[in-house]
Amino acid sequence: MVPIRKLLKWTAVTAAAGAVSLLLVGGVALAVIYPKLPDVSSLSDYRPKLPLRIFSAEGTLIGEFGEERRTLTPIASIPKSMKDAVLAVEDARFYEHGGVDSLGLMRAVLANLRGGMRQGASTITQQVARNVYLSSERTLSRKVYEALLAFKLESRLSKDQILEIYLNQIYLGNRAYGFAAASEVYFGKPLQDITVAEAAMLAGLPKSPGTANPINSPSRARARQLHVIDRMKDTGFITAAQADEARQEPLHLRDASDPNRPHAEYVAETVRQLMYAQYGDSIYTRGLSVQTTLVAADQQAAYRSLRKGIMDYERRQTYRGPEAFADLPDDPKALDDAVDDALADHPDNDDVMSAVVLTAAPKLVTAVRGNGDILQITGDGLRLGQVGLSDKAGPSIKVRRGAVIRVMKTPRNTWEMAQLPEVEGAFVAVDPRDGAIKAMVGGFDFGKSKMNRVTQAWRQPGSSFKPFIYSAALEKGFTPATVVNDAPLFFDAATTGGQPWEPKNFEGTYDGPMSLRHALQESKNLVTIRVLQSIGTEYAQDWITRFGFDKDKHPAYLPMGLGAGSVTPMQMATAYSVFANGGHRVDPHLVMRVTDRDGKVLSEVTPPVLDESNRAIPERNAYLMDSLLQSVMKGGTGAKAYQALKRDDIYGKTGTTNDSVDTWFAAFQPTMVGIAWVGYDTPRKLGVRGETGGSLSLPIWVGYMQAALKGVKVAEVPEPAGLMHADGEVFFDDYGPGRGVASLGLDAAPVVPVETLAGEQVAPVAPVEERNRILDMFK
């Protein structure tokens, strides 16, 4: 039997030899591996990939482009509760160890042996080493590299620098990198504003960010949050009372369908294109921040108003039937799966939601939404779908069990049947004083169509173009009191150089002699054609370029006066701004300032000064046109807008093209120009009965202005020099009564010779094919 003393001696020698061997192996590993470790000095100036972030004028985030959602936040700006929560659950001895925590390692091993919630042994420094430089594979060699890198990081960086990198680098689910981004993603608030309970929820994410976040798995996220709160109490970061309060605090997660969220997808995409054109691919990683001119509240008002206008139009159309049909089983569990499958390809479109019909009868439809809510539709809510509820309905439009339909909440909190629109629309609002774009909605839904119709849709403006012809006529001696005959006109083939043309008024009637003011107020086509023929189409074509229109898109033929050319809503906003700001041409702009990740200003827009350098038309011309456009609002085709807003400082014009293919409402208040357009992307008539700018586009403009002009004082526009008043009318002082054009096109009244006005008797004759194409639009 071996003596105890000798056994102890052999054991000590063996242990010593083992320790020496481990030290030798460690030394060799250190000597071989350490020189091969990456240089960590660059982390002293930590510069992760940061997305392009786009903000409204007041700082609301409206768009983000890049692989990673991230907001680089200095350690000093991260709230103590967030740092405490992370340290408590991830590395309570962070400020005490040198990169690898031997005590923490032993504690984790013992805890895991005892069972219960498993504990990791990696320190925050090791996690930084892994996240920045290493893969996530679980091998011994990777752990050795991780430990050595942790030591290297601790030797080169301060504790606060390492913690700052961790808090900004770690992945937290839903494309959010770092706790600042996660706070926005999950709670919709800046990191500086979070509570202890919210900090604990976020601190629990690094363990399983993809599957245990509060969106994907609320119960698992809650369990993890409670564990973090317990750790914060156990480590002394919070008191027992604070822990109890945090456990009981209800969490309010960000709602992706938040009705107050500004829907500015078209704006964000436009800015992305502008930034890409200037900076290239680097915009997705270099952390540029773009402050736009957009006002978040105005943008939301524009979005809601456009959608309401389009859905109101849809209620007047024929029901096109369900979007799909599904076979529904009777078993409740199988039914849930069948509903999920049926709605997978038909997601909600904001307030136009999808549902599957469970029962259908002429007076009652029962349906289930994707979230499991059962809803009933009765009474007026069935009006749109009545044709599909009829016994005679064809199979493609029959509303029956398994039909996938659209539903909307009504103002009375009941449900109604709906359908996704085929028609499109656009709205843009611009401050005419500096060209700042305050709201821009390029279509009904960005997800459905990325085409921005504000800038990309070239459409006929119809009668909304007439004010620019009238503006040209004022410079040729016409006055608001000039009497023009609203009577039929006929142009034979010899005159047109092609087929005969007989233009008509929209309503098909004629009212005889009337003043120019009344003619614009009632949008009389025949008066406009006589005026344009008198001043000359080439002169008018040159004049409209002052407002920003393209000359080649408005051929110098008489139909130009009725809006036969091509414009975009943005061009119309630019043009009407000239009337609104007293005659100055100011180009719209969307970007105010671009800064890099460090806050350095890369570019900044200086608001233009309204002076003679950007004057487009005489001030008195703009003032007189405002007077005419005010009459349109008070007693003409825009009267519904005046009745709704009850303001004396609004001016505008409706526009409806031939066969009601496009409808417009272009109008302004001196601080805001708004342009609304509605039509089909592939031009066709708007409805069986036809629609007008007054019935379809005007309500969209009104809905926006009711919000945008709330609290804005009624503007008083001072009268400029060069005007005179007589007989209740306003004139240019050199074209007063007896000196301007008194009348035009009256058989019993002298007509001022056309050659004294424009130097030509008739409009130039177009090539036959082009002439016929234009005249076909206005048969």
Side-chain angles (χ1 to χ4, degrees), residues 518-538:
H518 186 69
L520 184 63
Q521 184 175 308
E522 299 300 325
S523 198
K524 295 296 185 178
N525 290 342
L526 277 299
V527 171
T528 303
I529 290 172
R530 281 187 166 89
V531 170
L532 178 57
Q533 187 178 28
S534 176
I535 65 174
T537 55
E538 289 186 343

Side-chain angles (χ1 to χ4, degrees), residues 333-402:
K333 291 185 178 179
L335 177 63
D336 289 343
D337 292 338
V339 168
D340 289 343
D341 291 342
L343 297 180
D345 295 328
H346 304 273
D348 290 348
N349 188 293
D350 196 4
D351 54 346
V352 187
M353 293 167 275
S354 56
V356 178
V357 173
L358 298 177
T359 64
K363 293 186 178 181
L364 172 65
V365 170
T366 304
V368 58
R369 289 190 53 215
N371 61 4
D373 288 350
I374 304 293
L375 53 93
Q376 293 185 334
I377 311 171
T378 60
D380 287 344
L382 297 172
R383 182 177 300 172
L384 176 67
Q386 277 299 329
V387 64
L389 292 167
S390 168
D391 292 336
K392 299 179 180 179
S396 63
I397 65 169
K398 181 68 174 177
V399 179
R400 59 182 185 272
R401 180 176 170 83

Side-chain angles (χ1 to χ4, degrees), residues 465-595:
F465 196 75
K466 288 176 181 175
F468 308 106
I469 304 302
Y470 279 51
S471 172
L474 293 179
E475 297 300 311
K476 286 293 187 178
F478 281 80
T479 73
T482 299
V483 176
V484 183
N485 197 8
D486 176 35
L489 280 171
F490 177 79
F491 299 89
D492 58 25
T495 302
T496 65
Q499 64 192 41
W501 181 43
E502 187 176 7
K504 301 180 183 298
N505 287 324
F506 179 82
E507 66 280 4
T509 60
Y510 308 94
D511 293 336
M514 64 179 59
S515 69
L516 211 65
R517 181 181 293 276
H518 186 69
L520 184 63
Q521 184 175 308
E522 299 300 325
S523 198
K524 295 296 185 178
N525 290 342
L526 277 299
V527 171
T528 303
I529 290 172
R530 281 187 166 89
V531 170
L532 178 57
Q533 187 178 28
S534 176
I535 65 174
T537 55
E538 289 186 343
Y539 169 75
Q541 185 190 43
D542 286 335
W543 184 260
I544 65 170
T545 62
R546 295 168 176 254
F547 297 87
F549 295 117
D550 299 333
K551 191 173 183 178
D552 60 347
K553 292 189 179 293
H554 300 271
Y557 313 133
L558 291 177
M560 173 180 66
L562 306 185
S566 296
V567 302
T568 67
M570 186 66 81
Q571 278 191 329
M572 293 293 278
T574 303
Y576 270 81
S577 290
V578 176
F579 293 142
N581 64 27
H584 302 273
R585 163 81 179 277
V586 180
D587 293 328
H589 67 278
L590 188 56
V591 174
M592 289 175 60
R593 184 181 302 105
V594 181
T595 57

Side-chain angles (χ1 to χ4, degrees), residues 631-647:
S631 294
V632 174
M633 300 292 266
K634 285 190 172 183
T637 57
K640 289 181 180 178
Y642 181 77
Q643 293 163 5
L645 295 178
K646 296 179 173 59
R647 298 180 66 109

Side-chain angles (χ1 to χ4, degrees), residues 233-373:
K233 178 177 70 70
D234 293 343
T235 51
F237 286 119
I238 58 175
T239 65
Q242 288 173 315
D244 289 339
E245 182 180 352
R247 291 189 195 97
Q248 296 172 16
E249 180 184 318
L251 296 184
H252 302 285
L253 296 177
R254 180 177 185 177
D255 183 1
S257 60
D258 181 3
N260 296 317
R261 177 172 64 90
H263 290 266
E265 295 87 354
Y266 288 101
V267 175
E269 173 58 17
T270 300
V271 173
R272 184 198 67 80
Q273 293 176 18
L274 292 172
M275 294 299 101
Y276 186 85
Q278 188 167 359
Y279 300 106
D281 287 328
S282 68
I283 64 171
Y284 303 117
T285 58
R286 65 185 292 187
L288 299 183
S289 292
V290 182
Q291 184 184 15
T292 67
T293 58
L294 207 72
V295 175
D298 286 9
Q299 177 66 22
Q300 184 65 357
Y303 172 82
R304 289 294 171 204
S305 189
L306 179 67
R307 285 180 67 95
K308 181 181 184 301
I310 288 178
M311 292 311 297
D312 285 347
Y313 168 80
E314 278 298 327
R315 293 183 181 93
R316 302 193 288 269
Q317 306 312 303
T318 302
Y319 185 56
R320 295 185 290 274
E323 295 181 11
F325 297 93
D327 293 327
L328 299 184
D330 294 327
D331 179 64
K333 291 185 178 179
L335 177 63
D336 289 343
D337 292 338
V339 168
D340 289 343
D341 291 342
L343 297 180
D345 295 328
H346 304 273
D348 290 348
N349 188 293
D350 196 4
D351 54 346
V352 187
M353 293 167 275
S354 56
V356 178
V357 173
L358 298 177
T359 64
K363 293 186 178 181
L364 172 65
V365 170
T366 304
V368 58
R369 289 190 53 215
N371 61 4
D373 288 350

